[in-house]
Amino acid sequence: MKINNKNYAIPELNYNTLCDLENMGISLEEMDKKIFSTIRGFLALTMNNDYEKAGEEIEAHLKSGGSLDDAVKDIAKAVDQSGFLENAFIQGEYNEM
C-alpha cells in the first residue's frame, strides 16, 4: 500500500491482526461503510498499531493530492488472499459470532 510516497506492506491477515483491527474499531463486515477508518486501521497495522500516526500520514497524503483508490484495492486484495479468513468464512465461524 502506497501512502504519501511511501510503501507499506500490509501484514498477513491472521487471528492476531483481526483482533488488532477490532481493537481499532475496524470490522471486516463494515469495511465498505467505514472506508477511511479501514484504511487508517490497515496502515496502523504497519506502524505498530499507531492509528494516530497512520491518520496523520493519510492526511498528509490527501493534502498533497494523493488518492486512496489504490489503498482500497490493496486492502481488498489482502483480504481476498487471506487463507485464514477464507477458512473462517467457509466454516462459518466468523459469521456466527
Side-chain angles (χ1 to χ4, degrees):
M1 173 168 48
K2 189 171 186 175
I3 299 288
N4 207 22
N5 292 318
K6 298 174 191 163
N7 288 313
Y8 296 95
I10 297 173
E12 179 183 346
L13 298 180
N14 57 36
Y15 186 81
N16 287 324
T17 53
L18 287 180
C19 290
D20 289 340
L21 288 169
E22 285 183 351
N23 287 337
M24 289 184 263
I26 308 302
S27 166
L28 295 184
E29 291 178 337
E30 296 183 357
M31 281 181 14
D32 59 333
K33 297 174 186 162
K34 296 182 177 183
I35 300 292
F36 292 121
S37 294
T38 299
I39 295 168
R40 183 179 74 163
F42 273 84
L43 184 58
L45 288 175
T46 71
M47 300 176 164
N48 294 318
N49 299 336
D50 188 342
Y51 61 85
E52 291 290 332
K53 182 178 177 183
E56 292 168 4
E57 192 72 6
I58 292 168
E59 187 170 342
H61 176 73
L62 293 172
K63 282 182 176 179
S64 69
S67 168
L68 298 177
D69 292 343
D70 287 338
V72 170
K73 290 175 188 174
D74 291 341
I75 291 168
K77 183 178 177 181
V79 171
D80 287 344
Q81 292 179 346
S82 170
F84 169 77
L85 289 175
E86 182 178 320
N87 289 335
F89 283 118
I90 288 172
Q91 295 171 10
E93 294 170 9
Y94 191 78
N95 288 328
E96 291 177 10
M97 293 181 169

